[in-house]
């Protein structure tokens, strides 16, 4: 991978002190790759608000660039304004702006319905202070009424002021290239960085993929299933497949890679090593 490509690593805020300690060690390892930023997810409805902020503080204190995710569903303008001001005061410069998915049974959707409304709100409240990332879906968002509508919605987020996008993960490079082509035809010019999900455990990957609509191609699913509980083979296969995917994406012009680390350094590090970082 050449150094002109941007790469970044995503974490979730751990629930236990042990998880927090483990994440410090994970960051230390990944920091050696000098990423553009470390991002931290935010539970929809504000369920991880305090923990996200705490991890962002730690990343900042370690001297790295930190990008909090901020999901708006279930929230109020007042609450989002408070969070934005806190991040601004901390010197945070990048935010990943999302709608989020309200957990079932959890109250009303709040004062924002879609992510484009959050992007507009951030711009109105804080001007050009933040670099705003939004989500994009090469295999389409599961709730989109059609691929074209999904693209129109993506464009709406960019028109509202997003500077760049990170995609949902996928294992089919053609879906990404096709999406880029369509987005460009639609007049969307911002960088669209592929989200990369290393494969660590098949049951977990299958669960995530069912929930978010990311396809595991049949040949991959069948092979992974055939390994059963043999996680060593799952991981070896996963490293080969995902490294090849990254090579294809970068060779095809992807501006960088964003790794969904699941708070583990090993798989992302090994993929980056194989890519020649
Ligand atoms: P939106 O862009 O609002 O789109 C949601 C759906 O509504 C799409 O189907 C879209 O086509 C449709 N839509 C949008 N606008 C309209 C409109 N005006 N009329 C009709 N339909 C419309 N979730 C979290 O809770 N926390 C996180 O930290 C988090 N991080 C993520 C990071 C990345 C890189 C990605 C790709 C996803 C992340 N998610 C996170 C998941 C995300 O919140 C879900 O995928 C969610 O379902 C959609 O969020 P969005 O921001 O893409 O929503």
């Amino acid at each position: 991978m050449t150094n002109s490509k941007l790469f970044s690593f995503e974490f979730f805020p751990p629930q236990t002190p042990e998880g927090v300690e483990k994440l410090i060690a994970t960051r230390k390892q990944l920091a050696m790759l000098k990423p553009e930023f470390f991002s931290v997810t935010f539970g929809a409805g504000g369920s991880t608000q305090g923990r996200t902020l705490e991890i962002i503080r730690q990343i900042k204190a370690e001297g790295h660039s930190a990008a909090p995710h901020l999901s708006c569903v279930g929230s109020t303008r007042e609450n989002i304004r408070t969070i934005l001001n806190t991040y601004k005061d901390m010197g945070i410069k990048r935010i990943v702006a999302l709608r989020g998915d309200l957990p079932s049974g959890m109250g009303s959707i709040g004062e924002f319905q879609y992510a484009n409304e959050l992007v507009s709100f951030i711009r109105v409240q804080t001007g050009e202070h933040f670099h705003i990332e939004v989500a994009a879906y090469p295999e389409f968002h599961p709730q989109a009424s059609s691929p074209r509508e999904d693209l129109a919605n993506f464009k709406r987020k960019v028109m509202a002021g997003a500077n760049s996008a990170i995609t949902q993960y996928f294992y089919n490079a053609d879906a990404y290239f096709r999406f880029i082509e369509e987005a460009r035809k639609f007049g969307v010019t911002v960088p669209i960085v592929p989200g990369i999900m290393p494969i660590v455990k098949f049951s977990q990957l299958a669960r995530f993929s069912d929930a978010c609509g990311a396809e595991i191609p049949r040949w991959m699913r069948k092979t992974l299933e055939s390994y059963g509980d043999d996680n060593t083979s799952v991981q070896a296969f996963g490293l080969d497949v995902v490294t090849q995917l990254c090579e294809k994406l970068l060779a095809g012009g992807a501006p960088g890679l964003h790794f969904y680390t699941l708070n583990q350094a090993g798989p992302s590090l090994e993929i980056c090593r194989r890519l020649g970082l």
Side-chain angles (χ1 to χ4, degrees), residues 79-96:
N79 186 40
I80 297 287
R81 191 181 295 117
T82 305
I83 296 173
L84 290 172
N85 286 337
T86 304
Y87 286 140
K88 204 173 161 197
D89 292 346
M90 284 168 65
I92 298 297
K93 288 294 186 72
R94 186 186 293 259
I95 278 193
V96 186

Side-chain angles (χ1 to χ4, degrees), residues 181-259:
E181 212 178 292
E182 292 296 307
R184 300 305 181 227
K185 273 194 234 160
F186 224 67
V188 177
T189 57
V190 298
I192 302 171
V193 174
I196 303 297
M197 179 70 90
I199 299 172
V200 177
K201 209 171 171 195
F202 176 57
S203 55
Q204 184 189 44
L205 180 71
R207 204 175 58 244
F208 287 164
S209 302
D210 286 347
C212 74
E215 189 189 39
I216 306 173
R218 182 180 161 85
W219 65 274
M220 280 180 60
R221 186 179 278 272
K222 287 281 174 196
T223 308
L224 287 163
E225 273 169 0
S226 76
Y227 293 135
D229 292 335
D230 176 5
N231 271 339
T232 310
S233 297
V234 167
Q235 284 165 26
F237 174 76
L239 285 172
D240 284 348
V241 169
V242 176
T243 305
Q244 280 167 19
L245 172 69
C246 294
E247 280 168 350
K248 219 179 209 178
L249 293 168
L250 293 170
L257 302 170
H258 176 83
F259 288 89

Side-chain angles (χ1 to χ4, degrees), residues 21-65:
E21 283 307 310
K22 189 174 157 251
L23 184 55
I24 291 172
T26 295
R27 280 202 302 273
K28 210 175 228 168
Q29 285 180 279
L30 293 173
M32 291 188 293
L33 298 171
K34 301 203 176 354
E36 186 69 9
F37 62 89
F38 287 133
S39 82
V40 183
T41 62
F42 183 95
S47 54
T48 69
Q49 191 169 319
R51 284 186 281 129
T52 299
L53 177 62
E54 188 45 38
I55 301 297
I56 288 290
R57 261 193 226 291
Q58 290 179 3
I59 294 172
K60 193 86 181 41
E62 290 162 2
H64 310 304
S65 173

Side-chain angles (χ1 to χ4, degrees), residues 99-102 114 140-146 149-150 153 211-212:
R99 183 195 70 178
D101 295 303
L102 211 53
Y114 296 111
F140 312 115
H141 187 269
Q143 291 158 7
S145 53
S146 72
E149 270 306 301
D150 211 24
N153 291 324
C212 74

Side-chain angles (χ1 to χ4, degrees), residues 116-178:
N116 68 294
E117 297 163 27
L118 175 63
V119 175
S120 299
F121 186 76
I122 297 173
R123 283 285 174 248
V124 168
Q125 295 296 316
T126 61
E128 294 301 311
H129 178 82
F130 292 108
H131 176 112
I132 304 178
E133 304 270 1
V134 289
Y137 300 86
E139 294 178 333
F140 312 115
H141 187 269
Q143 291 158 7
S145 53
S146 72
R148 190 147 186 94
E149 270 306 301
D150 211 24
L151 200 54
N153 291 324
F154 175 47
K155 182 170 179 173
R156 206 171 286 141
K157 293 191 278 194
V158 175
M159 298 307 286
N163 302 95
S164 49
I166 301 171
T167 75
Q168 185 56 276
Y169 70 88
F170 55 88
Y171 295 104
N172 179 354
D174 287 341
Y176 172 79
F177 292 127
R178 173 83 188 168

